Amino acid sequence: VIQFGAIAAVALLYWAQLMAMLRGLLGRDPAGLRLFINVVVAFLPAAVVGLLAHDWINTHLFSVGAVIAAQVAGALLMFYAGNWRRLNARDYGDGGEPELTPRAAAGIGVLQCVAMWPGTSRSMMTIVGGYFAGLTPRRAAEFSFLLGFVTLSGATVLKSYSSGAAMIQVFGWSHVLLGAAVAAVTAAVCVRFLVNWLTRHGLAMFAWYRLAFAALLAGLFYL
């Protein structure tokens, strides 16, 4: 629920794209309409799987071992995606990547479902999906955060409805609002950093970080 702050930060950072989607719905921006359709198509798999598999995920995947496995698997996927993009860059190039299609957006949405595995990272999976769709790192990150705006908004509304009263009773309004404020500030800083870093250096640093963190968790809990 405190991710509502991060949602607000993304809305401010990508306000132009959100307004383009709104104009597209009103019939005044064809590109904005295509972006809206792609975001909706990418959102639907997570909406369906999240509702159907929520209880199973909570029962089977919330463990230290599952998180360590997700960290390692995610790192390997990031290395593969980075190498795949370098090998295929000649086919689209940074200045001429293909238009994102609903089919490719659906593929990104399927990868977002994998992020329900704790320790995987929603933004990582969707950025990797953007790589496989032929997007540049900047475009892949942009679509990832626009998709995150919709996905996290839906999750926030659902969690607030189901558990909001209990959260306020346990933590109080002040702590929840403070968490949201901190999430907003850190998200604004981190999104800009991430996009700039990806444009210059790619995913490798984050993959090495995941491997190091997995080793740290294994050392703390199993040695």
Side-chain angles (χ1 to χ4, degrees), residues 63-72 209-223:
S63 67
V64 174
V67 170
I68 291 173
Q71 293 284 340
V72 174
Y209 157 76
R210 294 176 68 86
L211 291 176
F213 189 65
L216 176 62
L217 287 177
L220 289 174
F221 287 93
Y222 295 117
L223 297 182

Side-chain angles (χ1 to χ4, degrees), residues 12 23 51 56 74 124 126 145 158-159 165 168 178 217-218:
L12 291 174
R23 290 193 301 272
L51 290 174
W56 186 91
M124 180 271 289
T126 50
F145 291 121
L158 182 63
K159 286 292 186 180
I168 299 304
L178 176 61
L217 287 177

Side-chain angles (χ1 to χ4, degrees), residues 3-209:
Q3 287 289 350
F4 178 77
I7 296 167
V10 170
L12 291 174
L13 290 172
Y14 292 103
W15 185 255
Q17 290 85 345
L18 293 173
M19 289 298 98
M21 287 192 286
L22 178 59
R23 290 193 301 272
L25 285 175
L26 298 175
R28 301 203 300 261
D29 189 332
L33 179 60
R34 290 194 297 271
L35 178 58
F36 174 81
I37 292 172
N38 285 334
V39 169
V40 171
V41 168
F43 166 71
L44 289 176
V48 174
V49 173
L51 290 174
L52 294 178
H54 178 269
D55 293 338
W56 186 91
I57 291 169
N58 285 342
T59 301
H60 295 91
L61 294 182
F62 275 83
S63 67
V64 174
V67 170
I68 291 173
Q71 293 284 340
V72 174
L76 296 177
L77 178 61
M78 293 166 86
F79 282 130
Y80 176 78
N83 287 330
W84 186 92
R85 185 180 185 281
R86 282 191 291 273
L87 291 174
N88 291 274
R90 62 181 179 273
D91 295 329
Y92 46 82
D94 279 354
E97 78 267 33
E99 182 76 20
L100 184 64
T101 64
R103 181 177 179 178
I108 295 173
V110 170
L111 285 176
Q112 181 173 236
C113 293
V114 180
M116 295 177 193
W117 178 4
T120 304
S121 170
R122 191 210 64 81
S123 57
M124 180 271 289
M125 292 303 302
T126 50
I127 289 172
V128 164
Y131 273 30
F132 291 144
L135 301 181
T136 62
R138 182 173 293 276
R139 284 280 308 283
E142 176 184 295
F143 187 78
S144 170
F145 291 121
L146 289 172
L147 177 57
F149 175 82
V150 176
T151 304
L152 294 176
S153 294
T156 297
V157 170
L158 182 63
K159 286 292 186 180
S160 296
Y161 176 77
S162 62
S163 308
M167 291 179 199
I168 299 304
Q169 184 177 0
V170 172
F171 298 108
W173 276 107
S174 60
H175 292 90
V176 174
L177 292 175
L178 176 61
V182 172
V185 173
T186 53
V189 173
C190 290
V191 166
R192 288 193 177 280
F193 166 78
L194 176 63
V195 172
N196 289 331
W197 181 276
L198 285 175
T199 302
R200 294 186 177 94
H201 308 291
L203 290 167
M205 183 191 76
F206 301 102
W208 285 114
Y209 157 76

